[in-house]
Amino acid sequence: MSGSGAWEELERPGPDVVVVEGTEVRRGSRVRLHPRRGGDVFDLALTGMTAVVDTIECDMEEQVHLAVTVEDDPGRDLGELRRPGHRFFFSPSEVEPLGEAEPPAPGGARVLVAGIGNVFLGDDGFGVALAGRLARAVLPAGVEVVDYGIRGMDLAYALGDGWDVAVLLDAVPRGEGPGTLYLIEAEVDPGDLSMDTHGMDPAKVLALANTLGRPLPRVLVVGCEPQTHLSADDDELVADLSEPVRLALPEAERLVTNLLQELTSTTPVEGPS
């Protein structure tokens, strides 16, 4: 084979569409990542995360690969520029189709849904669990669901990325019965800005975001009254939600889904009472 032929082979494009579990996947499709066992350690760290297909490529051995960028990667824009470390390759068998990443409808709001909390501190993982359910649901165009976990610094920067509304999902102790759900309009308190870059105190995250010089979105909190109150100083970690909080997840999902329908409609939405 001549040199020019070899280059032409390397540049051979992949198909425009691949079918995964009966669903067409193409550029812009959202997928959940399920790397095979024994794969690269970096790929395995992405297990369960949601991503967007950037390109479909074909290698020299006729194997199809999906090049994806991870939705909650703060450097996702670098992946879209094809920078290494922010763009990952998976076979079609390693992804679960979630639908298309659609642009918002004209006049509709762009909404960031942020799951926050520590999944190893019992009910503090409510927001992460709810975000996982919503990421698998069919949501209005213009909505992006991201599991921020305890990455408070990442959320603070994300709040200034041009969203119209941010909906934070979190465990919120207010003294009611465990499993009670709340819808709260958050206010920024410019008080204590000290924060652990690997911690998640929503009030401090909002205060920090307010100092970054970019307009902040309207912030709503969908919270759940926890039964367990654990901290990182406790000797025993608990990776399960309590029964009342677990049973509240379906109603919490309905609450957020209805809220998102209102927020992304072209009619103004009144604040929660």
Side-chain angles (χ1 to χ4, degrees):
M1 179 182 294
S2 67
S4 60
W7 282 114
E8 290 172 359
E9 177 70 14
L10 286 173
E11 293 176 351
R12 183 166 42 83
D16 293 331
V17 177
V18 294
V19 177
V20 180
E21 299 177 358
T23 300
E24 291 188 348
V25 173
R26 53 173 55 81
R27 175 180 172 83
S29 294
R30 295 179 67 246
V31 296
R32 188 177 303 283
L33 305 176
H34 299 288
R36 68 184 184 282
R37 291 186 177 182
D40 186 279
V41 64
F42 294 105
D43 289 348
L44 294 177
L46 300 177
T47 299
M49 292 190 175
T50 56
V52 176
V53 176
D54 181 52
T55 60
I56 301 176
E57 303 185 6
C58 194
D59 63 20
M60 294 277 292
E61 298 177 350
E62 304 290 339
Q63 299 297 313
V64 173
H65 303 275
L66 306 179
V68 306
T69 56
V70 177
E71 284 190 329
D72 63 353
D73 179 4
R76 179 180 167 188
D77 56 333
L78 298 177
E80 293 169 349
L81 294 174
R82 303 196 175 191
R83 300 288 179 84
H86 299 277
R87 192 167 181 263
F88 306 92
F89 292 84
F90 294 90
S91 69
S93 64
E94 294 178 295
V95 304
E96 170 192 354
L98 296 177
E100 300 300 314
E102 301 178 8
R110 294 183 64 243
V111 183
L112 172 65
V113 179
I116 60 181
N118 191 326
V119 296
F120 296 110
L121 297 182
D123 288 345
D124 194 60
F126 163 79
V128 173
L130 180 54
R133 293 175 67 104
L134 290 165
R136 296 188 292 272
V138 177
L139 300 176
V143 174
E144 183 172 340
V145 180
V146 180
D147 169 12
Y148 282 96
I150 57 173
R151 295 179 292 113
M153 190 70 72
D154 290 345
L155 176 56
Y157 279 98
L159 288 172
D161 284 344
W163 303 100
D164 297 299
V165 185
V167 179
L168 310 185
L169 315 176
D170 195 16
V172 179
R174 305 183 86 187
E176 300 294 333
T180 301
L181 298 175
Y182 309 110
L183 176 58
I184 305 165
E185 183 103 30
E187 296 182 0
V188 177
D189 182 356
D192 184 10
L193 293 179
S194 62
M195 66 178 291
D196 180 355
T197 57
H198 297 288
M200 177 64 84
D201 181 327
K204 292 180 179 179
V205 168
L206 292 177
L208 174 61
N210 193 45
T211 69
L212 298 178
R214 295 184 293 178
L216 294 186
R218 176 187 178 192
V219 178
L220 302 173
V221 179
V222 173
C224 181
E225 185 74 40
Q227 182 176 69
T228 59
H229 299 269
L230 304 177
S231 74
D233 296 326
D234 290 325
D235 294 332
E236 183 177 355
L237 301 179
V238 178
D240 297 315
L241 300 176
S242 67
E243 188 73 359
V245 171
R246 183 180 65 80
L247 292 176
L249 284 172
E251 181 59 30
E253 182 178 354
R254 284 191 289 271
L255 188 158
V256 175
T257 300
N258 291 337
L259 177 64
L260 294 175
Q261 291 288 352
E262 295 180 8
L263 291 172
T264 55
S265 69
T266 56
T267 56
V269 180
E270 296 181 359
S273 57

